[in-house]
Amino acid sequence: MNMEKQKAGGFAAWRNLLLWKKIAIALMLGAILGVILNSTGNETAATSIKVVGTAFVSAIKMLIVPLVFVSLVCGMTSVSDMARMGRIGLKTVAFYLGTTAFAITIGVGLALLIQPGVGIELGEAAAMEAREAPPFINTLISIIPTNPVAAAANGNVLQIIFFAIMFGLAINLAGEPAKPLRNLFEALNAAIMKLTEIVISFAPYGVFALITWVAGTYGLDVLLPLGKVIFALYLGCLIHALVVYGGLVSMLTRLNPVRFFQGVIEPQMVAFTSTSSSGTLPVTMTAVQQNLGVGRSVSSFTLPLGATINMDGTCMYQGVAAIFVAQAFGIDLSTGDYFTIILTSTLASIGTAGVPGAGLVMLSLVLTSVGLPLEGVAVIAGIDRILDMARTALNVTGDAACTVVVAKSEDELEEDVYNVPHALKTPV
Ligand code: ASP
């Protein structure tokens, strides 16, 4: 009888915990279980647990297309001022590009300081095909979807953004006859946000499964030789988050940056374990709106755009990895080479899709630009998941930081919500 009471009490305590605490506990327990499974030779058990994580990630991905489309149309119909939309767009792009410049500088600086590739002997690796960069103008034009249904079916976020903006504008311009449509989108939005909350409530289980799988499949023997690259990237991500994002949020909004970091902890943890910033988008959207008080008209634009083009973690990773490969192969880079790495890393990060491992594919582009051996990609591939976790967490933090800064400047941030400590808010 007592045992049963205790059990019921335990369940109730777990149910009432705030979501981020549940995710944090899941993260720790999963990591411990994974290490135990790995060291006892039970890697297959760790791999079979992954299925729960895959189910969770699929469920969040299911939300991306309807969420981006519906919330952006609603965002557009709630602002009829075109000049304001243009201003928000400019500020967003400026923030994204500016912070990316900081990220690559920190990455290159740390790689030169820590020298992750010195002393590594690279073994034989399979030759890999380099990826060609598409011409810039083609990339621009391809944002216009020739078939919006195909854009939705393929999950092409930039094309969906374009169509949603045009559609929202058209609803505004059509005026009275389109009013029912506007109401319909409001209703759809309410339902989709609810669905998002339901899916996100499963995050602890998904996170637990994914981290168990990672910790269970990467043994220490894989990680130790490349420990310095991992260290350089993790340190760089931490510095960038705290100094650049924390600094910009506090300088540009005059708000407490600690609240910012408390508010984004859920998307950070989901990004860390799922390694997909596009996949994390619904979680990021809910967090900035509910925890940080950002208005929908800003976040429904800045976040999907950020999940597609703003990847500071990926950019920093390209720089660190390229210098690692040069050092490991004993190749000297000239000043011009460093500039090329900075430029191609920035472009590659803009072109990287917000999905697991996409940055690794783009690394071949950066390496080829300065004539580094593509075998380097194969070496990095061995530990890419670990690097992907940090860079994806940084990518979503950057999207959220930009959203807060732009929202504050547009008077779209409810300070009462922002200033309430996260721990006092009701669980999602
Ligand atoms: N996984 C990263 C993201 O989704 C992209 C990358 O591989 O760098 O943001």
Side-chain angles (χ1 to χ4, degrees):
M1 181 66 189
N2 252 350
M3 277 265 287
E4 257 171 33
K5 250 192 196 160
Q6 263 179 4
K7 238 195 213 164
F11 277 132
W14 172 252
R15 244 203 344 258
N16 293 333
L17 262 188
L18 283 168
L19 182 68
W20 75 268
K21 289 189 181 164
K22 285 189 197 168
I23 302 179
I25 292 172
L27 199 64
M28 278 184 301
L29 291 181
I32 295 171
L33 178 65
V35 170
I36 294 175
L37 289 178
N38 184 277
S39 53
T40 50
N42 284 313
E43 285 93 345
T44 36
T47 312
S48 42
I49 291 176
K50 186 188 169 197
V51 74
V52 178
T54 311
F56 169 65
V57 172
S58 303
I60 343 186
K61 282 191 182 156
M62 162 185 91
L63 300 167
I64 298 173
V65 172
L67 183 70
V68 170
F69 183 63
V70 172
S71 73
L72 194 49
V73 170
C74 283
M76 288 303 296
T77 53
S78 57
V79 281
S80 42
D81 181 354
M82 275 296 285
R84 182 167 174 269
M85 263 325 278
R87 216 172 45 227
I88 292 178
L90 271 184
K91 285 184 197 169
T92 306
V93 172
F95 188 100
Y96 285 157
L97 286 181
T99 49
T100 304
F102 275 110
I104 183 70
T105 312
I106 295 175
V108 169
L110 279 180
L112 290 176
L113 207 71
I114 296 174
Q115 307 211 321
V118 170
I120 298 258
E121 278 177 35
L122 290 181
E124 287 286 299
M128 316 235 344
E129 287 271 309
R131 199 186 144 117
E132 291 260 319
F136 186 61
I137 188 75
N138 289 7
T139 314
L140 268 189
I141 290 179
S142 67
I143 290 177
I144 306 174
T146 48
N147 177 351
V149 179
N154 297 327
N156 186 327
V157 174
L158 283 184
Q159 292 188 341
I160 299 171
I161 291 179
F162 184 87
F163 185 69
I165 290 180
M166 300 308 282
F167 197 65
L169 276 179
I171 294 179
N172 282 346
L173 293 174
E176 207 44 42
K179 193 105 187 281
L181 207 49
R182 198 171 155 163
N183 296 340
L184 173 74
F185 269 92
E186 286 293 337
L188 275 174
N189 195 50
I192 291 195
M193 287 311 285
K194 191 78 226 160
L195 187 58
T196 307
E197 278 181 22
I198 295 170
V199 172
I200 294 176
S201 67
F202 288 97
Y205 312 103
V207 162
F208 173 80
L210 290 172
I211 202 74
T212 304
W213 165 64
V214 174
T217 36
Y218 288 85
L220 280 186
D221 40 335
V222 181
L223 298 185
L224 281 185
L226 299 174
K228 270 185 172 178
V229 195
I230 300 174
F231 174 69
L233 186 70
Y234 273 64
L235 182 65
C237 288
L238 197 67
I239 294 176
H240 192 68
L242 295 180
V243 179
V244 179
Y245 298 149
L248 284 174
V249 167
S250 90
M251 260 171 17
L252 299 176
T253 67
R254 304 260 156 231
L255 294 167
N256 182 355
V258 176
R259 295 269 183 273
F260 167 74
F261 288 110
Q262 286 174 333
V264 293
I265 191 148
E266 286 141 8
Q268 277 176 334
M269 287 191 288
V270 172
F272 187 75
T273 43
S274 71
T275 66
S276 169
S277 40
S278 293
T280 311
L281 186 57
V283 189
T284 321
M285 194 130 9
T286 315
V288 296
Q289 290 176 4
Q290 294 188 357
N291 301 342
L292 299 174
V294 173
R296 207 177 50 193
S297 69
V298 171
S299 55
S300 65
F301 172 72
T302 54
L303 289 179
L305 188 67
T308 324
I309 66 161
N310 179 49
M311 310 237 167
D312 291 358
T314 302
C315 185
M316 183 184 289
Y317 153 85
Q318 310 278 3
V320 171
I323 294 174
F324 162 81
V325 171
Q327 289 169 348
F329 278 95
I331 298 170
D332 280 332
L333 295 171
S334 66
T335 317
D337 289 338
Y338 284 112
F339 276 114
T340 312
I341 290 179
I342 288 176
L343 192 71
T344 44
S345 298
T346 307
L347 293 178
S349 75
I350 295 174
T352 305
V355 297
L360 180 73
V361 180
M362 296 305 259
L363 181 60
S364 64
L365 195 145
V366 179
L367 295 184
T368 346
S369 71
V370 284
L372 287 170
L374 286 179
E375 283 80 2
V377 175
V379 177
I380 293 281
I383 50 152
D384 194 59
R385 178 82 192 191
I386 308 281
L387 301 175
D388 206 357
M389 298 200 298
R391 63 185 194 247
T392 311
L394 188 69
N395 289 347
V396 303
T397 313
D399 302 340
C402 172
T403 305
V404 165
V405 168
V406 174
K408 177 72 172 66
S409 75
E410 290 291 326
D411 217 7
E412 276 283 337
L413 189 135
E414 281 180 62
E415 289 191 32
D416 298 351
V417 178
Y418 183 98
N419 284 327
V420 176
H422 188 204
L424 298 182
K425 287 172 192 151
T426 44
V428 181

